[in-house]
Amino acid sequence: MAQVTSGIHAILSHPFVYSAFQTLMGAHQARTRFARDFIKSTPGMKILDIGCGPADILNYIPSTDYYGFDISESYIAQARHRYGNRGIFYCQYLAEIDLEALPAFDIVLALGLIHHLDDAQAINVIQLAFKALKPGGRLLTIDPCLDSSQNPIARFLIQHDRGQNVRDKAGYDSIASQVFDLRRLEVRHQAWIPYTHCFMECTKTA
């Protein structure tokens, strides 16, 4: 996984600091829109979250059968402390063999994950998501995005992100197209603090 974890970026490994920084950067507004326009969850829906972090997305979705995977012990500890009665959390990489013990999912989330992965790693995660989904299920992602029309401040912040594989819209679509035929991508610009996200929805058609 390609990311910067030294210097100022190291403090983001602490779950409280990470969540606070995300809030400062406008994550509340982005997650609210994402939950409303993309997740559109209903009670009882089965959701798999790959790279769930401290599972802050649970603040934005109703009661669901939620399964979160992350390799950070501190993030998973925070998720269990805050949301232990709302999900099942695993401190490990998600592997294909793990899917045998899990249900088929309506939604797979990979929020802020893909831009930390090179193309081969990203395609592997997307393939895992495809296998985890039931027919008609959806993979949903959010990642920082480079765009020719974005605010220069947004571009500067994104170029200094911990993730070393930030792509433009075409770049994210290119890797998703290796696995999913039906895709929807939207680039959204946040006014303050200036930032740009790519929201992606991939649907399993068979």
Side-chain angles (χ1 to χ4, degrees):
M1 180 180 294
Q3 65 175 350
V4 178
T5 57
S6 60
I8 189 66
H9 296 283
I11 65 173
L12 295 178
S13 297
H14 189 286
F16 176 80
V17 175
Y18 172 80
S19 295
F21 179 76
Q22 290 287 301
T23 299
L24 175 66
M25 291 300 297
H28 173 69
Q29 294 87 346
R31 289 171 181 156
T32 297
R33 294 194 301 270
F34 187 74
R36 179 193 65 215
D37 299 341
F38 284 81
I39 299 179
K40 295 179 283 190
S41 62
T42 56
M45 183 175 281
K46 291 180 171 54
I47 295 179
L48 170 64
D49 194 347
I50 305 174
C52 65
D56 291 332
I57 193 63
L58 283 171
N59 290 323
Y60 303 88
I61 56 179
S63 298
T64 59
D65 293 338
Y66 176 95
Y67 299 74
F69 283 76
D70 200 282
I71 61 171
S72 168
E73 293 182 3
S74 59
Y75 283 170
I76 289 297
Q78 177 77 348
R80 287 171 176 161
H81 174 72
R82 296 181 63 191
Y83 307 111
N85 63 337
R86 294 195 53 196
I88 301 173
F89 303 97
Y90 302 85
C91 186
Q92 64 179 78
Y93 283 105
L94 175 66
E96 184 173 351
I97 193 171
D98 297 317
L99 300 180
E100 297 176 5
L102 298 173
F105 290 94
D106 300 286
I107 290 175
V108 174
L109 301 175
L111 308 182
L113 175 63
I114 300 300
H115 73 287
H116 290 283
L117 308 176
D118 64 28
D119 285 0
Q121 293 168 330
I123 291 170
N124 180 62
V125 167
I126 293 170
Q127 288 173 331
L128 279 174
F130 184 89
K131 292 172 182 176
L133 288 167
K134 61 178 62 173
R138 296 172 294 138
L139 165 65
L140 304 175
T141 73
I142 309 176
D143 284 282
C145 183
L146 297 171
D147 186 81
S148 60
S149 65
Q150 71 193 146
N151 186 297
I153 296 175
R155 177 170 287 269
F156 174 83
L157 292 172
I158 288 168
Q159 288 176 332
H160 290 81
D161 189 275
R162 286 190 299 168
Q164 297 295 288
N165 292 283
V166 177
R167 302 165 174 87
D168 59 13
K169 179 181 178 181
Y172 289 117
D173 188 51
S174 176
I175 56 174
S177 70
Q178 304 299 308
V179 183
F180 285 90
D181 293 327
L182 184 58
R183 305 175 306 282
R184 167 193 174 197
L185 290 87
E186 290 187 13
V187 173
R188 297 191 177 187
H189 300 284
Q190 178 178 291
W192 187 256
I193 295 171
Y195 212 73
T196 306
H197 294 95
C198 181
F199 291 12
M200 182 164 66
E201 177 183 64
C202 304
T203 303
K204 184 175 182 176
T205 56

